[in-house]
Structures are given as C-alpha cells and as structure tokens.
Amino acid sequence: MPQQDAKLFWLIVMIGMLLSFPAKAFTPTLHLIGYNAEGKSVDIQLERDRLENLPQSELTTHLPWFEGPSTFTGVRLKTLLEHFSLVHPRIKLSALNNYATDMTLDYIKQYDPLIALKQNGHYLKVRDYGPYWIVISIDEHPETAEMKHLAKMVWQLSRIETY
C-alpha cells in the first residue's frame, strides 16, 4: 500500500473510532442553595429528571421574545422551594452568564413563576433560553410586561439561592 493510501486508511480508522464512542450527553443541573425551615444547609445539584418528578405545571402566555403565545412546562418556583422547605424571604436567581436578580416570597406568591423545562413540548436548550427559564404569565399579569418584571424572567437559570 503506498504511503499516502496508508495515511488515508489510518485517518479513516481513527475517525471511525472517534465516532463509535458514545457522546456524553449534557445533563443540565440546577444548583439549589440555602437553609431549610429547620436551619439545615441545603446544597443540591438537581438534574432535569429530578425536577420532572416534582408536580408539573403548564403556562401559556405571550412573551416579548416570541410572536404569538408559547406553552411552557415545568415546576412552579414555589413548589420547588416548598419541596425543600426553603422559606427564607429572599431568593437570588442566577444564570449561566452570571446575570442575577432577586425575588421575594411575596413576589413569588403574587406572580407564581414557573421554572420552565420545555417550550411548546420541547426541552429548552442553552441556545434557546434553557436549560431552565423563569417564566411569568404576562397574559395573566399584564403589568409583568414592564422591564422591571421582565428582568426577573431569568433564562439559562443555573442557580437558586435563598437567604
């Protein structure tokens, strides 16, 4: 076999080997930090399947980033906080790019935000606001179309911290 043919052969073999390895899937996690009602520290990495095991809700609303309404599926923020007994009055929500905003428990009770895992039946990806996105229904609460409320709809949510 001529030298050039041998190089091509081994290149094809190497590419085939690389393609035969299963790709490690990105497992989106949500980091939950704080203290529960008993004063015990909570520091948990929640994977999507664990979030899906909590009671799921659906919310259909118009958002300024899309034409027409979208349907979001996920777990209500208050449900997640109650599940882990996180009852502190302030919550810090942080994104993958380190953007962060705060919410109070009163705000959460008033607007009932959803931690969206899916939009229109498809899992959210990082490139389209995911893997997790705080969504509030503008259709149900028209005042949330104001910038001060839109700023609380953290996309690419990666961390929730109570304090």
Side-chain angles (χ1 to χ4, degrees):
M1 178 180 310
Q3 186 176 4
Q4 200 160 6
D5 288 344
K7 286 181 181 179
L8 181 60
F9 170 79
W10 286 112
L11 178 61
I12 291 169
V13 168
M14 295 301 291
I15 290 172
M17 288 175 59
L18 289 172
L19 293 175
S20 69
F21 288 112
K24 184 172 181 187
F26 170 66
T27 305
T29 59
L30 181 60
H31 196 174
L32 186 60
I33 301 169
Y35 290 91
N36 66 18
E38 294 81 42
K40 294 181 182 175
S41 176
V42 174
D43 189 345
I44 302 170
Q45 293 282 346
L46 297 169
E47 293 184 355
R48 185 170 55 207
D49 62 341
R50 193 157 174 203
L51 289 168
E52 287 182 309
N53 284 327
L54 294 172
Q56 298 294 292
S57 295
E58 199 170 83
L59 171 124
T60 300
T61 190
H62 289 82
L63 293 176
W65 304 283
F66 306 106
E67 291 205 22
S70 290
T71 299
F72 297 92
T73 308
V75 61
R76 295 288 180 172
L77 181 55
K78 70 179 179 184
T79 301
L80 179 73
L81 296 173
E82 288 170 358
H83 181 79
F84 290 99
S85 299
L86 297 169
V87 295
H88 295 276
R90 297 195 69 78
I91 291 91
K92 181 178 180 182
L93 305 163
S94 302
L96 290 172
N97 67 357
N98 293 323
Y99 172 80
T101 190
D102 288 347
M103 279 187 193
T104 63
L105 286 179
D106 289 339
Y107 188 92
I108 292 168
K109 287 176 188 172
Q110 181 175 357
Y111 295 111
D112 203 15
L114 179 76
I115 302 171
L117 304 147
K118 294 179 181 179
Q119 179 182 6
N120 299 326
H122 301 283
Y123 286 112
L124 292 167
K125 297 176 184 168
V126 172
R127 70 174 174 254
D128 54 20
Y129 304 97
Y132 310 113
W133 185 5
I134 296 291
V135 178
I136 299 169
S137 176
I138 291 176
D139 292 354
E140 188 176 334
H141 306 282
E143 69 276 17
T144 60
E146 296 174 20
M147 186 53 76
K148 68 181 182 180
H149 296 283
L150 294 175
K152 295 191 180 297
M153 294 190 207
V154 178
W155 57 68
Q156 297 178 340
L157 180 68
S158 64
R159 180 180 172 119
I160 298 173
E161 185 174 358
T162 64
Y163 61 98

